[in-house]
Amino acid sequence: MPITARKKQKGIGMIEVLIALLIVSVGAIGLLSTQASGKRIGYDALQRSIATGLVRDIVERMRSNPGALASYVATVGESSISTEPSPNCTTASCTPAQMAARDLWEWERALDGAGEYTNNGGQETLAGGLVTPRGCITNNNGVVTVTVAWKGYQSASNPSPGNTCGAGLYGNNDDQRQLIAITTFIEDV
């Protein structure tokens, strides 16, 4: 029989199937890795967005109550203000200092996630908010700095060595500490 008269191959060989399976598997693993990375980045962006809104919230509360500017200087977070201030300034008249105490309590609860609850064995617990949050407010003759610190997902360099809000709470050398800070001027009336 001449060499050219051989049978033509029909079908796929086992080697080709295994190579195709390997290529598809590597592609699927790459896709899953991309999805997981995207989810982490999305969560970090959500945390940063929440922190930005919370910083703006307390700054606006301070602007609407400039007579008690010194009363807002505080460090809050992780239920540091355990009892609700009295009176409830939404239903009763309050002095500027009482309003500041109420604002700080509401802000601290928002940092801890008071907008979302989860039912944990019949007990409601806060579920929203930031991861291990700290809120710090300083006032230097009307120059107000509001900082929110929280634990980020990944290690990074210290975001602001001069800002000590939440320092020492977030990993080795604060490598997971994330910060949002706003400095503004509020005239004390």
Side-chain angles (χ1 to χ4, degrees), residues 75-81 108 111-112 133-135:
T75 298
V76 299
E78 295 274 298
S79 301
S80 61
I81 306 172
E108 193 270 337
L111 282 169
D112 290 339
R134 286 291 180 269

PDB file of all heavy atoms in Angstrom, residues 75-81 108 111-112 133-135:
ATOM      1  N   THR A  75     -13.666  61.908  70.203  1.00  0.00           N
ATOM      2  CA  THR A  75     -13.297  60.695  69.478  1.00  0.00           C
ATOM      3  C   THR A  75     -14.368  59.671  69.790  1.00  0.00           C
ATOM      4  O   THR A  75     -14.613  59.371  70.951  1.00  0.00           O
ATOM      5  CB  THR A  75     -11.915  60.170  69.921  1.00  0.00           C
ATOM      6  OG1 THR A  75     -10.937  61.168  69.607  1.00  0.00           O
ATOM      7  CG2 THR A  75     -11.565  58.881  69.199  1.00  0.00           C
ATOM      8  N   VAL A  76     -15.036  59.186  68.756  1.00  0.00           N
ATOM      9  CA  VAL A  76     -16.148  58.256  68.960  1.00  0.00           C
ATOM     10  C   VAL A  76     -15.967  57.021  68.074  1.00  0.00           C
ATOM     11  O   VAL A  76     -15.203  57.025  67.127  1.00  0.00           O
ATOM     12  CB  VAL A  76     -17.518  58.920  68.648  1.00  0.00           C
ATOM     13  CG1 VAL A  76     -17.762  60.103  69.552  1.00  0.00           C
ATOM     14  CG2 VAL A  76     -17.616  59.331  67.194  1.00  0.00           C
ATOM     15  N   GLY A  77     -16.726  55.982  68.404  1.00  0.00           N
ATOM     16  CA  GLY A  77     -16.736  54.764  67.602  1.00  0.00           C
ATOM     17  C   GLY A  77     -16.833  53.531  68.465  1.00  0.00           C
ATOM     18  O   GLY A  77     -16.474  53.553  69.648  1.00  0.00           O
ATOM     19  N   GLU A  78     -17.362  52.440  67.862  1.00  0.00           N
ATOM     20  CA  GLU A  78     -17.513  51.170  68.566  1.00  0.00           C
ATOM     21  C   GLU A  78     -18.311  51.356  69.860  1.00  0.00           C
ATOM     22  O   GLU A  78     -17.901  50.932  70.927  1.00  0.00           O
ATOM     23  CB  GLU A  78     -16.144  50.559  68.874  1.00  0.00           C
ATOM     24  CG  GLU A  78     -15.386  50.166  67.642  1.00  0.00           C
ATOM     25  CD  GLU A  78     -15.727  48.790  67.146  1.00  0.00           C
ATOM     26  OE1 GLU A  78     -15.495  47.820  67.874  1.00  0.00           O
ATOM     27  OE2 GLU A  78     -16.236  48.699  66.022  1.00  0.00           O
ATOM     28  N   SER A  79     -19.452  52.047  69.740  1.00  0.00           N
ATOM     29  CA  SER A  79     -20.381  52.261  70.860  1.00  0.00           C
ATOM     30  C   SER A  79     -19.720  52.954  72.047  1.00  0.00           C
ATOM     31  O   SER A  79     -19.959  52.606  73.199  1.00  0.00           O
ATOM     32  CB  SER A  79     -21.003  50.933  71.297  1.00  0.00           C
ATOM     33  OG  SER A  79     -21.699  50.354  70.225  1.00  0.00           O
ATOM     34  N   SER A  80     -18.899  53.961  71.775  1.00  0.00           N
ATOM     35  CA  SER A  80     -18.255  54.698  72.862  1.00  0.00           C
ATOM     36  C   SER A  80     -19.246  55.571  73.620  1.00  0.00           C
ATOM     37  O   SER A  80     -19.043  55.861  74.787  1.00  0.00           O
ATOM     38  CB  SER A  80     -17.101  55.542  72.317  1.00  0.00           C
ATOM     39  OG  SER A  80     -17.591  56.490  71.386  1.00  0.00           O
ATOM     40  N   ILE A  81     -20.319  56.004  72.968  1.00  0.00           N
ATOM     41  CA  ILE A  81     -21.383  56.748  73.630  1.00  0.00           C
ATOM     42  C   ILE A  81     -22.522  55.758  73.832  1.00  0.00           C
ATOM     43  O   ILE A  81     -23.305  55.501  72.930  1.00  0.00           O
ATOM     44  CB  ILE A  81     -21.848  57.960  72.795  1.00  0.00           C
ATOM     45  CG1 ILE A  81     -20.665  58.853  72.441  1.00  0.00           C
ATOM     46  CG2 ILE A  81     -22.910  58.746  73.554  1.00  0.00           C
ATOM     47  CD1 ILE A  81     -20.994  59.960  71.460  1.00  0.00           C
ATOM     48  N   GLU A 108     -22.141  58.714  65.995  1.00  0.00           N
ATOM     49  CA  GLU A 108     -21.453  57.500  66.448  1.00  0.00           C
ATOM     50  C   GLU A 108     -22.258  56.249  66.087  1.00  0.00           C
ATOM     51  O   GLU A 108     -21.713  55.252  65.646  1.00  0.00           O
ATOM     52  CB  GLU A 108     -21.212  57.581  67.962  1.00  0.00           C
ATOM     53  CG  GLU A 108     -20.254  56.558  68.491  1.00  0.00           C
ATOM     54  CD  GLU A 108     -20.933  55.287  68.924  1.00  0.00           C
ATOM     55  OE1 GLU A 108     -22.131  55.319  69.221  1.00  0.00           O
ATOM     56  OE2 GLU A 108     -20.268  54.244  68.941  1.00  0.00           O
ATOM     57  N   LEU A 111     -21.770  55.619  62.440  1.00  0.00           N
ATOM     58  CA  LEU A 111     -20.465  54.996  62.203  1.00  0.00           C
ATOM     59  C   LEU A 111     -20.526  53.488  62.436  1.00  0.00           C
ATOM     60  O   LEU A 111     -19.949  52.697  61.695  1.00  0.00           O
ATOM     61  CB  LEU A 111     -19.402  55.582  63.151  1.00  0.00           C
ATOM     62  CG  LEU A 111     -18.816  56.938  62.815  1.00  0.00           C
ATOM     63  CD1 LEU A 111     -18.000  57.453  63.987  1.00  0.00           C
ATOM     64  CD2 LEU A 111     -17.980  56.891  61.563  1.00  0.00           C
ATOM     65  N   ASP A 112     -21.256  53.097  63.501  1.00  0.00           N
ATOM     66  CA  ASP A 112     -21.366  51.684  63.852  1.00  0.00           C
ATOM     67  C   ASP A 112     -22.383  50.940  62.988  1.00  0.00           C
ATOM     68  O   ASP A 112     -22.477  49.720  63.082  1.00  0.00           O
ATOM     69  CB  ASP A 112     -21.748  51.529  65.323  1.00  0.00           C
ATOM     70  CG  ASP A 112     -20.619  51.940  66.253  1.00  0.00           C
ATOM     71  OD1 ASP A 112     -19.462  51.965  65.802  1.00  0.00           O
ATOM     72  OD2 ASP A 112     -20.903  52.241  67.420  1.00  0.00           O
ATOM     73  N   PRO A 133     -14.875  51.266  63.200  1.00  0.00           N
ATOM     74  CA  PRO A 133     -14.749  52.694  62.907  1.00  0.00           C
ATOM     75  C   PRO A 133     -14.283  53.526  64.091  1.00  0.00           C
ATOM     76  O   PRO A 133     -14.492  53.172  65.249  1.00  0.00           O
ATOM     77  CB  PRO A 133     -16.176  53.080  62.525  1.00  0.00           C
ATOM     78  CG  PRO A 133     -17.018  52.181  63.371  1.00  0.00           C
ATOM     79  CD  PRO A 133     -16.267  50.871  63.421  1.00  0.00           C
ATOM     80  N   ARG A 134     -13.665  54.643  63.771  1.00  0.00           N
ATOM     81  CA  ARG A 134     -13.340  55.691  64.729  1.00  0.00           C
ATOM     82  C   ARG A 134     -13.620  57.017  64.038  1.00  0.00           C
ATOM     83  O   ARG A 134     -13.263  57.213  62.880  1.00  0.00           O
ATOM     84  CB  ARG A 134     -11.865  55.676  65.148  1.00  0.00           C
ATOM     85  CG  ARG A 134     -11.471  54.588  66.079  1.00  0.00           C
ATOM     86  CD  ARG A 134     -12.093  54.778  67.463  1.00  0.00           C
ATOM     87  NE  ARG A 134     -11.709  53.730  68.363  1.00  0.00           N
ATOM     88  CZ  ARG A 134     -12.376  52.595  68.545  1.00  0.00           C
ATOM     89  NH1 ARG A 134     -13.450  52.357  67.867  1.00  0.00           N
ATOM     90  NH2 ARG A 134     -11.963  51.702  69.415  1.00  0.00           N
ATOM     91  N   GLY A 135     -14.247  57.918  64.776  1.00  0.00           N
ATOM     92  CA  GLY A 135     -14.488  59.268  64.283  1.00  0.00           C
ATOM     93  C   GLY A 135     -13.792  60.245  65.203  1.00  0.00           C
ATOM     94  O   GLY A 135     -13.932  60.149  66.424  1.00  0.00           O
TER      95      GLY A 135
END
